[in-house]
Amino acid sequence: MTAPNMEELVSLCKRRGFIFQSGEIYGGVRGLYDFGPMGVELKNNLKQAWWAEMVYSRDDVEGLDASILTHPQALYYSGHEDTFTDPLVDCRKCKRRFRADHLSSAKCPNCGSEDLTDPRPFNLMFKTNVGPVEDEDSFAYLRPETAQAIFMNFKNILDTRSKSLPFGIAQIGKAFRNEITPRNFIFRVREFEQMELEFFVEPGTDEDWHRLWVDKRMEWWQSQGIAPNQLERYDVPADEIAHYSKATVDVMYRFPHGLEELEGIANRTDFDLGSHTKQQDTLEINAKVIQNEHSTTKLAIQDQNTKKWIVPYVIEPSAGVDRGVLAILNDAYQIETLDNGKTRTVLSLKPHLAPIKTAVIPLKQNHDGIMSKASALRRQLQKLKFGRVLLETSGNIGKSYRKHDEVGTPFCVTVDFQTLDDETVTIRDRDTMGQDRVNISKLADLLQSRLD
């Protein structure tokens, strides 16, 4: 078995309907991708697995789905307006743009010219206008991260859910960053989804909680099918961590293009809750001074014993959904050599992540009895709600098996002439390619147990 390179992975994603270039019929938009029929199922399954782990399995975490448009003052006080920049350089010869900190030399990586501009800061945040009139007073940002909305809703959730420390707020949602050089397929893009937890703890306990969450997140990615030897822990040096962080540990994964961050677990201290409640009389945004518009809400929690107000520290496990999909596809992709010397491509996805849980395949698509039986069986299995069940009618039985190997379908159920006589079907296992004959009356329980 061999692991794929990036070209093979991109080819599979396009060929089997996982991921497409956005706006492809017009030449595409760099750094933007669309998730196709298989991709959206895999992506949703990954998000559901994360939500089940972070919210449903715990008594101390609540969920949130906040607005994408973000008040500019929130991103001013969070530090994003000042710090969310990358150093930009232009090549005067070929007109390409690059991040200065990604250049290995003073030469343009595209044409080799040394005629580069001096680095200048480039704001990564997308700005848009809000309301019918387009002027300097009516702008907002597309959020560059999902975290700030959690902090701004801290008191709302505290008041409505009566939480005590420690507790967390989880959110999955879109974020936007105007990357200078999007690259490596869906690894670094301009529109992406994040899975973030802000876990609020008492000051002084934050370092213990930080270590605990690092361990939990390493274990969780392995439970999603990623091999332990593909993951590494990276303690981010103090001179590289974000402005809000006391300490950050990255879960690193061996992507096809190299070892890079899959998830970051940061100790954000009380930076964010404190920043959103500091009293300031004036604020300068876009060269305009705004008077007395800072939040005066107290983002703190009262200790029930001492009655003192505490501004909690925050531990933040933050993972990219798109990067997670890329890692899982890469780890599941295998090219196997069979006993007859031929090869097959297979995605050995965990069953709970597989886009299609079961494919029902009629042996003869032009036979009314077989097609009717297969359609009824598909509807029966779909009612079990363990995931998508597909009626596969696109080719002969061998090609159908290979197709579903490539999209990671754990089981294929074949309806044939014998089915019409004795109510039995053939169930094929993706990983072993073994086949068993079972009665339809026992099929649902058998599939449910194997998928679980």
Side-chain angles (χ1 to χ4, degrees), residues 298-398:
K298 181 183 289 187
L299 301 184
I301 187 170
Q302 191 173 33
D303 186 285
Q304 297 304 308
N305 297 318
T306 65
K307 303 303 179 182
K308 291 182 178 179
W309 287 93
I310 300 171
V311 178
Y313 273 35
V314 183
I315 309 301
E316 178 195 67
S318 176
V321 180
D322 308 71
R323 291 184 182 187
V325 167
L326 183 59
I328 285 168
L329 284 172
N330 183 66
D331 241 53
Y333 184 108
Q334 297 174 357
I335 297 177
E336 297 180 353
T337 301
L338 306 178
D339 293 340
N340 59 9
K342 296 183 178 181
T343 62
R344 73 162 181 157
T345 300
V346 59
L347 283 182
S348 296
L349 297 166
K350 290 282 189 179
H352 72 279
L353 293 177
I356 300 168
K357 300 299 186 283
T358 303
V360 178
I361 306 174
L363 185 65
K364 291 289 184 180
Q365 297 170 22
N366 58 357
H367 189 284
D368 292 342
I370 289 178
M371 282 299 299
S372 177
K373 197 71 174 178
S375 297
L377 181 58
R378 203 283 308 175
R379 291 193 297 270
Q380 175 188 336
L381 294 177
Q382 189 63 73
K383 291 179 181 179
L384 298 176
K385 300 187 185 303
F386 52 62
R388 187 179 183 190
V389 179
L390 182 75
L391 180 65
E392 180 57 63
T393 60
S394 62
N396 65 43
I397 191 70

Side-chain angles (χ1 to χ4, degrees), residues 410-430:
F411 303 105
C412 290
V413 175
T414 302
V415 177
D416 54 20
F417 291 102
Q418 185 177 339
T419 308
L420 303 181
D421 293 333
D422 61 8
E423 291 289 300
T424 63
V425 293
T426 299
I427 179 171
R428 175 188 181 269
D429 184 280
R430 174 198 67 200

Side-chain angles (χ1 to χ4, degrees), residues 27-45:
V29 181
R30 194 176 178 207
L32 297 177
Y33 290 91
D34 300 329
F35 284 76
M38 296 298 101
V40 70
E41 296 290 342
L42 174 56
K43 192 176 186 181
N44 286 340
N45 291 341

Side-chain angles (χ1 to χ4, degrees), residues 76-101:
Y76 175 87
Y77 283 111
S78 68
H80 284 79
E81 281 205 338
D82 291 332
T83 64
F84 225 64
T85 60
D86 281 337
L88 170 68
V89 296
D90 293 280
C91 175
R92 293 188 177 95
K93 183 177 180 180
C94 70
K95 310 303 181 185
R96 293 284 298 273
R97 287 177 168 170
F98 307 94
R99 279 181 56 170
D101 55 337

Side-chain angles (χ1 to χ4, degrees), residues 66-304:
S67 172
I68 286 172
L69 293 176
T70 304
H71 198 295
Q73 287 174 252
L75 296 172
Y76 175 87
Y77 283 111
S78 68
H80 284 79
E81 281 205 338
D82 291 332
T83 64
F84 225 64
T85 60
D86 281 337
L88 170 68
V89 296
D90 293 280
C91 175
R92 293 188 177 95
K93 183 177 180 180
C94 70
K95 310 303 181 185
R96 293 284 298 273
R97 287 177 168 170
F98 307 94
R99 279 181 56 170
D101 55 337
H102 286 175
L103 299 181
S104 57
S105 68
K107 294 183 178 181
C108 171
N110 182 55
C111 69
S113 171
E114 296 183 356
D115 190 10
L116 305 178
T117 64
D118 292 331
R120 62 191 187 279
F122 173 77
N123 194 307
L124 298 175
M125 294 192 293
F126 285 98
K127 184 188 292 187
T128 188
N129 283 90
V130 178
V133 179
E134 198 170 308
D135 57 34
E136 61 181 7
D137 296 325
S138 62
F139 78 95
Y141 291 110
L142 302 185
R143 64 186 182 197
E145 62 175 26
T146 59
Q148 294 308 313
I150 293 178
F151 299 129
M152 288 188 288
N153 278 285
F154 174 82
K155 187 176 186 300
N156 291 330
I157 292 176
L158 198 61
D159 290 346
T160 56
R161 300 299 298 154
S162 303
K163 308 302 291 186
S164 58
L165 296 178
F167 78 95
I169 303 173
Q171 180 171 208
I172 300 175
K174 290 275 190 179
F176 304 82
R177 298 179 186 177
N178 195 12
E179 295 284 351
I180 298 170
T181 53
R183 63 192 187 279
N184 297 321
F185 197 26
I186 59 172
F187 176 81
R188 188 175 296 280
V189 289
R190 293 185 168 114
E191 177 183 335
F192 55 96
E193 277 192 277
Q194 290 182 300
M195 305 181 291
E196 286 195 328
L197 172 70
E198 306 301 330
F199 196 75
F200 303 95
V201 303
E202 290 188 26
T205 68
D206 52 296
E207 294 182 4
D208 290 337
W209 278 109
H210 192 210
R211 284 190 290 269
L212 177 65
W213 276 111
V214 170
D215 293 341
K216 280 181 173 294
R217 299 309 300 149
M218 292 284 286
E219 293 168 3
W220 186 80
W221 283 111
Q222 293 175 44
S223 74
Q224 303 309 299
I226 292 181
N229 63 358
Q230 290 284 78
L231 298 170
E232 282 189 18
R233 167 185 168 143
Y234 175 64
D235 293 272
V236 181
D239 60 347
E240 295 181 14
I241 60 175
H243 65 281
Y244 50 74
S245 178
K246 172 183 176 181
T248 298
V249 175
D250 287 344
V251 176
M252 308 291 282
Y253 175 77
R254 287 181 176 82
F255 290 96
H257 61 276
L259 185 67
E260 295 229 43
E261 178 192 343
L262 174 61
E263 177 170 356
I265 303 95
N267 181 346
R268 297 182 76 125
T269 69
D270 59 356
F271 175 87
D272 299 279
L273 294 181
S275 295
H276 290 303
T277 54
K278 288 176 182 174
Q279 301 299 314
Q280 298 186 24
D281 292 326
T282 61
L283 168 64
E284 185 175 327
I285 296 182
N286 290 357
K288 180 181 179 182
V289 175
I290 301 174
Q291 298 292 333
N292 298 319
E293 292 194 14
H294 191 280
S295 166
T296 58
T297 303
K298 181 183 289 187
L299 301 184
I301 187 170
Q302 191 173 33
D303 186 285
Q304 297 304 308

